[in-house]
Every structure is written in C-alpha cells, then in structure tokens.
Amino acid sequence: MKMYKFEIMQWNIYRIKWFCYSALVIGLNSCNYSPGSYPYAERYEIDMSEDELIDRLKTHKELHPELKLPAGVNMKDGKRNNVDHWHHFYFYRKESDQVVKTWVRRIDEERSTFALVALFDRSFQHGLKFFNKDFDDEENEILINRFEEELLTNIVDPSCCAPF
C-alpha cells in the first residue's frame, strides 16, 4: 500500500504533537521528582567525625532542654533501624511551635554531612514543608539563616563548615 504525501504529513504532525505534549508533561512534573532520599536538604560538610558530631548534638540538646520535643510528639532522635544511613535529630522551636528535622551522615573518618531537611508545623496543610522546595526563596533563606545562627554555629566552629 502506497502512502501519499498528505498521509505522511499527517503522521509527522501527529508525532510532533505527541512529542511536544510528552515533553510538556514531563517538564511540568520534573520539579516534583529529584533523585535520592533527601534531595532538597540543605547540606553542610562538617570537619569532624560522625560520632563526634552526634555527641555534640546530643550534648547541646541536654544543655538546652527547650530544644527537646514536647511530650506526645512521636519523633525520636537516632537511626530508624540498623541499616539506616542517617542519624536523625529533631529540634523544637518553642517560640513558633515548630519542629526542625535534621540528619547527620558520615562522609569519611574525619568528615560528616549535617543536613537541614524539613520544618513541621501544625498550620501547614500537610504538616511539614521541605527546605529548598516548599518555601519561597526569601522565606527559605530566612529560615535557614535562623537555623544556622541558633544551632549550627553553637555546635561547630563556623569556619569548619560550608553549604554544599
């Protein structure tokens, strides 16, 4: 069966439309998908071992009981199981009734990654918002700077860490 030029043109137009539609759908949804378990986390490379950083965070929470979670909040510091790569820490911000989720992960014997992951708040529609994703740029920067000032500089020497 012989195809005429008109039929070939129709077929090519159909393929072009399908390609453009597919690219549009993928493009619009691509910002919702990122690789990895914590793709939007604000990460800091810290010049100390994972164990030392974990000890410092635990000590800081002991010295500042206002950072501990209130009774009834079902979030626990630590690894979720024995194969978990992240040691999670939750810090309560009493003045705003919010919980900041963070984690620590080993890079090598002398360096660790400390990450700011999400902010839990009862006023949020889904209960939590991820840093670098769910806040607008200005609000995200304000929250991250506040966290760096309130916690990170108290845990580590500010000269030893930098955002990735």
Side-chain angles (χ1 to χ4, degrees):
M1 183 171 158
K2 185 176 179 182
M3 284 186 107
Y4 295 100
K5 283 186 179 183
F6 178 72
E7 290 173 330
I8 293 172
M9 264 179 54
Q10 277 187 317
W11 179 247
N12 286 338
I13 289 171
Y14 169 77
R15 287 176 36 194
I16 290 169
K17 284 182 180 179
W18 183 86
F19 175 78
C20 290
Y21 176 75
S22 298
L24 179 67
V25 168
I26 291 169
L28 290 175
N29 288 314
S30 65
C31 64
N32 293 326
Y33 305 107
S34 292
S37 297
Y38 297 101
Y40 302 106
E42 182 74 14
R43 295 182 172 124
Y44 301 87
E45 186 176 311
I46 309 294
D47 292 331
M48 68 178 71
S49 71
E50 179 185 34
D51 291 337
E52 183 181 353
L53 182 55
I54 289 169
D55 287 343
R56 283 194 187 190
L57 288 165
K58 286 178 179 177
T59 301
H60 189 75
K61 282 183 86 170
E62 289 299 319
L63 293 173
H64 300 278
E66 70 275 7
L67 294 174
K68 292 182 180 181
L69 300 179
V73 176
N74 192 21
M75 298 175 196
K76 293 189 178 6
D77 291 349
K79 294 187 175 188
R80 294 188 188 129
N81 54 49
N82 58 356
V83 294
D84 196 358
H85 297 293
W86 301 274
H87 191 105
H88 302 272
F89 283 95
Y90 299 92
F91 297 95
Y92 183 60
R93 300 187 72 243
K94 191 173 188 172
E95 72 280 355
S96 58
D97 193 31
Q98 297 172 327
V99 175
V100 179
K101 178 181 181 175
T102 67
W103 56 252
V104 173
R105 184 171 180 179
R106 177 179 188 254
I107 296 174
D108 57 33
E109 292 294 323
E110 298 173 359
R111 296 177 305 142
S112 304
T113 301
F114 181 80
L116 179 60
V117 180
L119 186 66
F120 294 85
D121 190 318
R122 293 180 195 131
S123 69
F124 299 156
Q125 184 177 6
H126 298 290
L128 78 127
K129 287 187 178 182
F130 291 96
F131 292 99
N132 298 323
K133 179 182 182 231
D134 296 326
F135 297 103
D136 64 48
D137 291 342
E138 184 178 341
E139 187 177 17
N140 194 66
E141 186 175 345
I142 290 168
L143 290 167
I144 288 172
N145 287 340
R146 183 181 304 150
F147 178 79
E148 288 173 354
E149 291 169 12
E150 291 175 1
L151 182 70
L152 198 56
T153 55
N154 292 316
I155 301 300
V156 296
D157 178 5
S159 64
C160 80
C161 60
F164 281 138

